[in-house]
Amino acid sequence: MDRSSAQKEIARLRREIKKHDRLYYELARPEISDGEYDLLMHRLIDLEKQHPGLVLPDSPTQRVAGKPLPGFAQVKHPAPMLSLDNTYNEDDLREFDQRVCKGLGGQSYRYVAELKIDGVAVALFYHQGLLQYGATRGDGTMGDDISANLKTIRSIPLSIDAPEPELEVRGEVYLSKKEFVRLNDIKQQEGQAPFANPRNAAAGSLKQLDPRAVAQRKLSIFVYGMGRPPESLDQHYQAMNFLKDLGFKVNPNIELCQDISQVIDYCKQWEQKRDDLDYEIDGMVIKVDSYAQQRQLGATSHSPRWAIAYKFPARQAATILRSVEFSLGRTGVVTPVANLEPVQLSGSVVSRATLHNDDELKRKDLHYGDTVIIEKAGEIIPQVVRVLIEKRDKKARPVVMPQDCPVCRTPLRRLEGEVAWRCENVSCPAQVKGRIEHFASRGAMDIDGLGPAVVELLVNKELIGDFGDLYNLRKADLLPLERMGEKSADNLITAIEKSKGNPFWRVVYSLGIIHVGTQAARELAKRFEDMDSLAAAGCQEISNIYGLGPAVGQSVENFFRNTQNLKVLQKLKRAGVSMKSDTSTGYGGVFSGMTVVLTGGLEGYTREQAAELIISRGGNISSSVSNKTSLVVAGSDPGSKMQKAQKLGIKIIDEKEFTEMVKNI
């Protein structure tokens, strides 16, 4: 496609994608499926790769930056971002109204009441219609420039048809209740402390230094105003419609109130209805509608006199701790869960509550039979807030973490720097499915056709009890399974057999040892010639390997101390799975001692295949160019990495030269 035709097609795709972004993220009225949307986006990405000169800063492809940020620069807000004074009851609201009435000297006025989103306040600065930067509130005068992270939020437009050359829009970034639960499930399984509430999760996400990580957290935003509204706008309620017309996501629950009594009625309505929302609110915000009157009322050094926050009271309940169940997740993390005397809380009956981890048990000093105060963290997950010690029976027993796995009775271990206690038995029934799925995954043993549904069938039919049993499967075992025909059975058996020849590092990674990712597995495969020598290595020896450290060392040592794990390894050895390092791996070779960076697209190799070829010939892979980089392999559209390599005088080769090099072993 010539440049002129590509330019027209790119413009059309951008308009189409922006339209569907607004329908999905702002209006919640999608018109096409996710698959159709992905096709549009992939088509745009391909065209922009072919014509990099046509890439514009507001293109939908520019939302997610490609590399971590070195830190956050500070930016000054064009107008101060003040905080709001809080009120907690009807009397406080009426006192606020009296102050407004007095300040306006008898003028008539009205209010706008809107939901107080429990999130993180940010400012978005647009210049000539393009998003120039976005920042946190900070101290109200200066904030952190988090532009790259905010661009990952699809409900924030990258460009607008603004009537003003400069426009500062303010909003609240938030995390939905559903996404909050998903993120905490992941953190618990990884042995990390969970987020306390959705606001905490949103704030933590925006301070991530890697925008790619932020993009995975599905943040959203409601805008609530402007730093300096255009002179053409007289009222806040009018301004909200103006922002909505520009393409911003404005909360639909906004009420124009004629007096404070109407405001109070609206606040009471939402105090009862807040559980119906998929995002968290902690109160209401009340503002004088007229901008002229807002200017007349002015502000103190920290808050406006024309607005106030009405905070909902915390909702808690007292109940009895009957017992504690120690629940085991699929990655082996043990989580204490309280079984409670059923009690009504926030519109539902609560009989269970998370106790998070051992540190929380000790901090709260929980005893069986205690009277406890519970509330919903972010109005979602019930949790025990505190114990009423004065009501404790003198004979009550303390709640303590078990020493052994509650399912398989293997001793639990707690790794340095983690809050979680784990069962490290790969044969533990509670985690066997997840471990088998990891073992068979593409980055590990890459057993095609062995997805979650098939694993579920094999385990439920008791055909396998751990990943070592995979190599005993026969075609006759598979044929009776649901949706398993002759061809599918043949393909699966072939894939399992083929996996025996995988490189040693893949076998190490597939074992699912905590903290041992693909890079650590490669380093271990370089250092140890076979599984026996790796198993014999202690924590100290492994910790001293450059790039690994004590957390990996302790985790590896713990894994090989477990007798159940050793039994599974024996199954792999008997089946003929590669348990020995390739003698050429890491010892000499054309890339020996070199740190290589791959950039751009290669026609003859996937990124993973190219990396394996380099590592098997003595090299190391790095994701970024620095003074320590020895060589850059540049494919099509190499981007900034090649430019940096040129500045540093680092050798750059193309795919043809790379192919010639890898022929030399």
Side-chain angles (χ1 to χ4, degrees):
M1 184 181 291
D2 62 41
R3 181 183 173 87
S4 177
S5 300
Q7 189 168 14
K8 291 177 182 177
E9 178 65 1
I10 285 172
R12 184 193 70 79
L13 287 167
R14 286 175 185 159
R15 288 194 301 271
E16 189 78 2
I17 290 170
K18 286 179 183 179
K19 181 187 83 171
H20 290 299
D21 276 347
R22 188 176 187 200
L23 285 167
Y24 186 93
Y25 294 102
E26 182 189 343
L27 304 177
R29 294 201 310 264
E31 290 183 351
I32 59 174
S33 68
D34 290 349
E36 291 172 305
Y37 180 90
D38 289 343
L39 286 174
L40 291 173
M41 184 64 82
H42 288 315
R43 173 65 174 154
L44 178 59
I45 291 170
D46 288 342
L47 282 173
E48 289 187 346
K49 279 184 177 179
Q50 294 169 28
H51 302 276
L54 297 178
V55 179
L56 296 176
D58 66 331
S59 172
T61 62
Q62 302 304 297
R63 284 196 175 275
V64 183
K67 61 181 180 179
L69 304 170
F72 297 113
Q74 294 279 299
V75 293
K76 185 174 182 179
H77 298 302
M81 290 187 73
L82 302 177
S83 6
L84 297 175
D85 282 337
N86 294 325
T87 62
Y88 297 91
N89 53 55
E90 182 179 329
D91 290 341
D92 288 344
L93 284 176
R94 293 194 182 279
E95 286 179 14
F96 164 72
D97 180 57
Q98 290 172 9
R99 294 194 298 272
V100 169
C101 183
K102 183 178 179 180
L104 294 178
Q107 299 175 37
S108 62
Y109 55 92
R110 60 184 183 180
Y111 293 111
V112 174
E114 52 199 41
L115 307 185
K116 187 176 183 297
I117 312 300
D118 197 10
V120 181
V122 298
L124 309 169
F125 187 79
Y126 290 82
H127 179 71
Q128 302 297 347
L130 289 177
L131 178 60
Q132 187 171 1
Y133 67 81
T136 60
R137 182 201 301 274
D139 63 4
T141 302
M142 303 288 292
D144 290 330
D145 185 341
I146 54 169
S147 304
N149 289 345
L150 289 172
K151 285 180 179 179
T152 69
I153 301 174
R154 291 190 174 274
S155 45
I156 294 178
L158 299 180
S159 62
I160 56 175
D161 294 325
E164 305 287 325
E166 293 186 345
L167 189 68
E168 185 198 15
V169 179
R170 295 176 176 180
E172 198 84 5
V173 173
Y174 69 93
L175 194 71
S176 72
K177 294 178 179 179
K178 181 179 179 181
E179 183 66 7
F180 172 66
V181 171
R182 186 186 73 84
L183 288 181
N184 266 354
D185 283 345
I186 293 171
K187 289 180 77 68
Q188 295 254 80
Q189 292 302 323
E190 292 178 348
Q192 302 177 38
F195 290 118
N197 50 55
R199 186 199 179 283
N200 179 269
S205 299
L206 288 177
K207 284 305 183 80
Q208 291 278 321
L209 291 178
D210 189 347
R212 292 167 297 189
V214 184
Q216 296 171 2
R217 295 194 174 179
K218 300 180 182 178
L219 297 168
S220 193
I221 188 173
F222 283 123
V223 301
Y224 59 74
M226 291 168 280
R228 291 196 178 103
E231 292 182 4
S232 58
L233 298 174
D234 302 316
Q235 298 149 346
H236 176 67
Y237 192 82
Q238 175 192 15
M240 291 299 94
N241 289 321
F242 165 78
L243 289 172
K244 186 176 180 180
D245 290 341
L246 285 180
F248 291 97
K249 187 175 180 180
V250 175
N251 194 288
N253 303 300
I254 180 169
E255 186 84 352
L256 194 57
C257 302
Q258 300 303 319
D259 55 36
I260 198 65
S261 295
Q262 194 175 343
V263 167
I264 291 169
D265 288 342
Y266 195 62
C267 290
K268 287 180 177 179
Q269 288 176 35
W270 276 108
E271 191 170 339
Q272 300 303 315
K273 294 194 302 181
R274 56 176 161 160
D275 293 331
D276 299 339
L277 299 167
D278 184 43
Y279 48 88
E280 186 56 32
I281 62 173
D282 60 350
M284 306 290 291
V285 176
I286 297 93
K287 303 172 183 175
V288 171
D289 187 35
S290 164
Y291 284 147
Q293 291 177 335
Q294 287 183 10
R295 290 190 291 271
Q296 184 177 340
L297 289 165
T300 67
S301 59
H302 60 85
S303 59
R305 295 190 178 94
W306 45 265
I308 202 159
Y310 172 71
K311 300 295 286 288
F312 295 145
R315 291 186 290 184
Q316 299 178 333
T319 187
I320 305 297
L321 175 64
R322 293 302 184 196
S323 64
V324 175
E325 175 185 318
F326 293 93
S327 175
L328 192 69
R330 66 177 182 85
T331 60
V333 173
V334 178
T335 303
V337 179
N339 291 314
L340 307 165
E341 187 73 27
V343 64
Q344 190 80 19
L345 178 66
S346 297
S348 63
V349 176
V350 174
S351 59
R352 288 165 64 84
T354 179
L355 297 171
H356 297 305
N357 52 58
D358 190 29
D359 288 357
E360 282 293 287
L361 287 182
K362 292 173 180 174
R363 187 178 69 81
K364 293 188 171 97
D365 186 29
L366 283 166
H367 285 57
Y368 293 103
D370 272 348
T371 299
V372 296
I373 301 298
I374 62 169
E375 69 179 22
K376 289 187 178 179
E379 296 299 328
I380 305 164
I381 303 171
Q383 67 175 2
V384 174
V385 179
R386 67 182 188 278
V387 178
L388 300 180
I389 297 177
E390 64 274 14
K391 294 191 175 185
R392 175 178 293 163
D393 189 313
K394 292 180 180 179
K395 296 180 181 179
R397 293 181 298 109
V399 178
V400 294
M401 286 289 289
Q403 294 183 328
D404 298 332
C405 172
V407 177
C408 69
R409 300 304 169 192
T410 298
L412 298 176
R413 293 188 182 277
R414 181 174 180 172
L415 299 178
E416 185 178 349
E418 285 195 353
V419 297
W421 286 89
R422 295 178 183 271
C423 170
E424 297 180 332
N425 175 13
V426 298
S427 302
C428 178
Q431 47 182 316
V432 68
K433 293 175 185 176
R435 285 189 176 274
I436 294 170
E437 288 172 22
H438 170 76
F439 182 85
S441 65
R442 183 176 179 183
M445 298 297 275
D446 194 18
I447 302 177
D448 192 32
L450 193 60
V454 176
V455 171
E456 180 92 15
L457 278 172
L458 294 173
V459 174
N460 290 349
K461 296 294 184 181
E462 298 183 354
L463 292 172
I464 57 174
D466 54 58
F467 48 73
D469 293 335
L470 289 169
Y471 297 94
N472 294 325
L473 287 173
R474 300 292 177 264
K475 181 178 177 180
D477 299 325
L478 302 177
L479 287 174
L481 298 178
E482 186 180 352
R483 294 192 298 275
M484 183 67 73
E486 288 267 351
K487 186 174 181 181
S488 298
D490 282 333
N491 289 343
L492 182 53
I493 294 297
T494 300
I496 292 172
E497 187 65 26
K498 180 183 175 184
S499 72
K500 295 178 182 180
N502 275 325
F504 180 51
W505 74 264
R506 279 185 175 271
V507 180
V508 174
Y509 173 62
S510 73
L511 299 178
I513 304 172
I514 303 301
H515 298 317
V516 177
T518 54
Q519 191 59 41
R522 285 184 169 116
E523 292 298 326
L524 292 171
K526 280 185 185 180
R527 183 65 176 263
F528 301 100
E529 64 179 14
D530 55 30
M531 194 69 78
D532 290 337
S533 59
L534 175 58
C539 173
Q540 190 62 47
E541 185 178 358
I542 294 169
S543 300
N544 289 336
I545 298 173
Y546 180 76
L548 299 189
V552 174
Q554 188 61 62
S555 182
V556 172
E557 182 180 282
N558 291 347
F559 181 88
F560 286 106
R561 279 182 178 176
N562 188 298
T563 56
Q564 294 299 318
N565 294 350
L566 296 179
K567 289 178 182 178
V568 177
L569 288 174
Q570 284 300 316
K571 294 180 184 180
L572 298 181
K573 184 180 287 188
R574 286 195 299 270
V577 173
S578 174
M579 308 288 272
K580 193 171 183 179
S581 181
D582 183 343
T583 54
S584 68
T585 300
Y587 302 101
V590 68
F591 296 107
S592 180
M594 298 174 69
T595 298
V596 183
V597 173
L598 296 164
T599 181
L602 300 176
E603 291 184 10
Y605 314 89
T606 65
R607 184 66 61 90
E608 190 175 54
Q609 287 170 339
E612 282 193 39
L613 287 169
I614 292 165
I615 291 167
S616 67
R617 288 154 178 78
N620 292 305
I621 295 294
S622 175
S623 60
S624 58
V625 176
S626 70
N627 290 322
K628 295 180 180 179
T629 303
S630 313
L631 180 70
V632 171
V633 180
S636 58
D637 297 323
S640 60
K641 289 181 184 179
M642 189 171 82
Q643 295 171 5
K644 187 171 182 180
Q646 290 170 335
K647 288 181 181 178
L648 294 174
I650 295 166
K651 184 178 179 181
I652 301 169
I653 63 172
D654 59 19
E655 185 171 352
K656 183 178 179 181
E657 293 173 281
F658 174 72
T659 301
E660 289 299 317
M661 289 184 75
V662 297
K663 287 179 181 178
N664 302 312
I665 300 179

